[in-house]
Amino acid sequence: MNDCGLLEGALPTDLASLSSLQSLDLSRNSFIRVPGSLSQLSRLQNLILKHCKSLQALPELPSSIETLDCNDCTSLESFSCPSRAYASRRSGGFTFKFSNCFRIVENELQSDVLEAIVLGIQLAASIPKVLDPQQGGSLGPVNAYDAIVPGSSIPSWFINQSMESSSVNVKLPPDWNNTKLMGLAACAVVDDREESSGIIYFCVEEAGVYNTIHMRISMKAHHMWFAYRSVGDLESKSNGEFGKQSGAMTISFRMYRKGEHIEVKKCGVRLVYDQKEGECSFSYPSRSPLFPISIPPPFH
């Protein structure tokens, strides 16, 4: 159904009848809304809506979703991913792309979408570790989260930030790698005005961990990449070297296009720990309001 000239009302209202559908590409159409029955597609993993320039809103996504690509949906104002989508995702991950969706973050300092992205990271990090009898310890999820959205104000929830560099140095207390450590969250501001295939990644330099997302992007202003990698993912990609650092660790960011290095404007990271108290905070730096986020109890 890609590039079929579909107008508002052309999509069937009863999408739930397509119960086995795993991928849906509705790119380059002209409808304003997607029917609410989309949320009932219990096997839908990939939803592609690129260049749907009239699209204003999405219904709640099904809990099976893994990838949402809304690049160049210039009228899009909101999206919603249910918390239950994160509940059982012990492996794999989530990718949300909103390149050039400027209305979705029209007021960057009070953006529901940016709040939802940080909440998504926190929920992905809330999946509990389980006992591993064979290893004599706990086994955490191996999951990930990626999102790209217009903007340049890194939320202050990323407590380690660099405003003029593509790397961040994180001071480590002696007991930083304890059983409550769930993963690493990162955010980088990039600016690439040419449409082409690009690669952006961050690296935990002392562990040799590279975490990459491939994106086709045509940016008309600064964009932010949000990422989360669980401890299990970081350990597997570093052959067990992640977690052995002491004193400090350096996380660096790079973006490449056609072999050319694209500047990372600023960046931030946070080591994410289990929040037993059930409350986390979300805020922006400098003259910004505080957005409290309530994290539900750990999933069982």
Side-chain angles (χ1 to χ4, degrees):
M1 302 176 73
N2 180 355
D3 201 9
C4 292
L6 299 177
L7 301 174
E8 180 66 9
L11 290 173
T13 57
D14 187 19
L15 293 175
S17 60
L18 305 173
S19 57
S20 298
L21 191 65
Q22 295 183 8
S23 294
L24 179 60
D25 189 347
L26 296 171
S27 300
R28 300 180 186 276
N29 284 299
S30 300
F31 45 78
I32 298 174
R33 299 180 183 275
V34 176
S37 56
L38 176 81
S39 62
Q40 300 175 41
L41 296 176
S42 60
R43 296 186 181 182
L44 185 67
Q45 297 176 349
N46 305 299
L47 178 59
I48 313 300
L49 294 162
K50 295 183 294 184
H51 301 282
C52 291
K53 296 185 181 297
S54 298
L55 179 65
Q56 296 180 4
L58 289 172
E60 184 175 271
L61 300 173
S63 58
S64 56
I65 201 71
E66 295 180 0
T67 299
L68 173 65
D69 189 342
C70 290
N71 287 346
D72 290 295
C73 291
T74 52
S75 300
L76 185 64
E77 297 178 353
S78 64
F79 92 107
S80 174
C81 187
S83 60
R84 65 180 180 275
Y86 306 91
S88 59
R89 196 68 57 85
R90 300 193 63 83
S91 62
F94 304 87
T95 301
F96 301 110
K97 298 180 181 181
F98 299 103
S99 293
N100 298 326
C101 298
F102 295 105
R103 294 192 66 179
I104 210 169
V105 287
E106 203 160 36
N107 185 344
E108 191 176 333
L109 296 183
Q110 300 186 50
S111 170
D112 291 340
V113 170
L114 294 183
E115 184 176 351
I117 288 173
V118 175
L119 176 58
I121 291 174
Q122 294 173 338
L123 288 170
S126 71
I127 300 174
K129 297 179 180 180
V130 296
L131 292 177
D132 183 7
Q134 294 181 342
Q135 300 295 328
S138 62
L139 179 66
V142 182
N143 59 352
Y145 184 105
D146 292 285
I148 186 163
V149 66
S152 60
S153 298
I154 297 177
S156 61
W157 183 78
F158 295 88
I159 54 178
N160 303 101
Q161 295 194 22
S162 174
M163 296 294 103
E164 299 178 350
S165 173
S166 60
S167 64
V168 181
N169 187 265
V170 180
K171 293 183 178 180
L172 302 172
D175 61 344
W176 73 276
N177 188 17
N178 57 53
T179 57
K180 291 187 177 182
L181 179 64
M182 303 304 291
L184 176 68
C187 182
V189 177
V190 295
D191 186 10
D192 182 14
R193 306 297 177 97
E194 180 177 330
E195 183 172 4
S196 63
S197 295
I199 298 174
I200 187 169
Y201 70 84
F202 71 83
C203 171
V204 182
E205 294 186 359
E206 293 81 1
V209 181
Y210 288 83
N211 290 273
T212 304
I213 180 172
H214 294 253
M215 297 180 295
R216 185 172 183 85
I217 44 183
S218 176
M219 297 179 181
K220 298 176 182 177
H222 291 113
H223 279 62
M224 293 185 289
W225 171 42
F226 292 87
Y228 169 77
R229 299 293 183 271
S230 67
V231 169
D233 184 81
L234 294 166
E235 289 179 344
S236 66
K237 290 180 177 177
S238 66
N239 294 320
E241 291 301 310
F242 181 82
K244 296 181 180 179
Q245 297 74 27
S246 62
M249 72 166 65
T250 302
I251 294 91
S252 60
F253 297 79
R254 296 289 185 274
M255 182 176 177
Y256 289 95
R257 173 181 34 79
K258 297 180 180 178
E260 178 186 0
H261 174 231
I262 306 301
E263 182 182 3
V264 174
K265 302 292 184 179
K266 49 187 174 181
C267 53
V269 299
R270 179 182 180 127
L271 291 170
V272 185
Y273 289 86
D274 183 20
Q275 297 287 333
K276 290 298 185 184
E277 68 273 18
E279 294 289 335
C280 290
S281 63
F282 171 89
S283 63
Y284 285 93
S286 72
R287 302 189 306 278
S288 60
L290 180 70
F291 299 92
I293 288 181
S294 179
I295 300 296
F299 301 109
H300 297 286

